Amino acid sequence: MKTFRWTAYPLASAMLLTALAFVLCHALYIPWPDNYFAWRREFMLLSGVELIMLMSLGMLLGMRPLWLERLWGGLDKLYRLHRRLGIAAGLMLSAHWLLDLSPRWLIQLGLIAPKVRSFHPHVFSWTGLAKQVGEWAAWAVLGLVIIALLRMVPYGFWRKLHKLFAPVYLMGVFHSVILTPTAFWWTPLGWALAVLLLAGIYAALASLRRKVGSLQRHAGTVTAVQALPGNMLEIRCDVPRWPGHQSGQFALLRLDAAEGAHPFTIASAWPGHGELRFVIKALGDYTSGLPGRVQTGSKVMLEGPYGGFTGGVDGRPLSGPQVWVAGGVGVTPFLAWLQSSWQPAGIPVDFFYCVRKASEAAGLDEVRHACQRLGIRLHLLESDHGQRLDVGALPEAADVWFCGPEGLGQSLQRQLASRAVPPRFHHEAFSLR
């Protein structure tokens, strides 16, 4: 029988602990209700507090703070949590809304009597305005969450629409501050809510001013552009103020102000100055059009470095044999690894490089020479010759590092998990949505 591990489900655990804290605060500070409308009021407060907390955390993670990125093990994992917080907020909003609509349904069914209300149509009410603003924000949040989950929506359109979350969040803050009872703010959970709201407001205002990631932005110039086989492009940049990076990290590269930034792995080790290399494969409209738009001397803006796909290069001790798996352009972090001064120090490493054909493999000569120098066993698998990655043939390893197509990574991870002693599986997802 499996036991529940809090660390395995951080979001569910946080929501459950917050709910328990809410109940405890109510038990200590607020009288328990004695009728349906009083119970509804308390549960609406519970769901509303949970909702605005989730939205506040989502706004904070959207700022891409380096300290949180490092704590969470990479920007991809931070954005995965950001996405789950958005889904949880949508579900909590649905519950909050159903509670709001429940009286009219129960009255129609004859289960409760209508509540007598005093109505003053010509008197301005902050409460009435907050309720109206909250309803507008609710429709907007549900629409934005649904659109964010639709992968068929083009990235450029989604990126522009995603900016609406900041003003919608501020509408939610106004709704929450006005409608939250004064007594609640004097509870421990009320203090925590106040801190999260302040953090969320700061993040929303920074987003509106286009300051997200501004501390990690560095201007540079394209110094070389070279077309590579396999519909790939190598871009070299000079970034004078680049703070340095660990081999395997990536940067958000903005070559076109109208398009915005896209994540690309830095395919070179840190040389001690601001010369960086990127190898980009044409996988969509944006990357397919780069050869005609990017030229030597073009200005570029980089944000980063981000990511935790650094293996033993970052100084952490390796605990046993290693297996590296690269699929196509997923070889880029390994190019940086091999270029660094890091040595396996007697630990066996098997490197499986999966390509369509050898003539389209990025940096193949570079990989071969580096593997020979470092004593790494290279296995080149060409799908055009019928060669496929056989998980059963992979040597036993303490760690498997994968970078490549998402489908291949998921299949590899599932098959490795079925082993008697599954290895630790490391990968990085370059989807920011």
Side-chain angles (χ1 to χ4, degrees), residues 235-297:
I235 298 176
R236 292 181 181 269
C237 306
D238 179 42
V239 189
R241 295 186 179 274
W242 186 249
H245 64 273
Q246 294 174 345
S247 297
Q249 290 191 300
F250 66 92
L252 300 181
L253 188 63
R254 190 176 70 188
L255 297 162
D256 184 349
E259 175 65 24
H262 289 254
F264 296 109
T265 297
I266 304 168
S268 55
W270 170 237
H273 51 83
E275 183 180 347
L276 306 178
R277 175 178 65 161
F278 297 91
V279 177
I280 301 171
K281 185 176 178 62
L283 296 173
D285 293 340
Y286 173 72
T287 49
S288 297
L290 286 180
R293 294 200 306 268
V294 181
Q295 300 176 351
T296 301

Side-chain angles (χ1 to χ4, degrees), residues 93-114:
L93 173 60
S94 301
H96 189 69
W97 211 342
L98 288 174
L99 283 167
D100 184 44
L101 298 175
S102 62
R104 68 187 70 175
W105 299 335
L106 295 177
I107 290 171
Q108 290 174 357
L109 293 172
L111 298 177
I112 62 172

Side-chain angles (χ1 to χ4, degrees), residues 49-68:
V49 168
E50 293 273 1
L51 171 59
I52 199 64
M53 280 186 164
L54 290 169
M55 293 180 68
S56 299
L57 287 171
M59 290 300 304
L60 179 60
L61 296 185
M63 286 289 293
R64 304 194 283 269
L66 279 180
W67 63 274
L68 266 180

Side-chain angles (χ1 to χ4, degrees), residues 68-78 307-309 427-428:
L68 266 180
E69 191 258 354
R70 290 165 182 160
L71 179 66
W72 222 259
L75 188 63
D76 62 319
K77 298 172 181 62
L78 200 68
F309 195 85
H427 75 288
E428 206 155 42

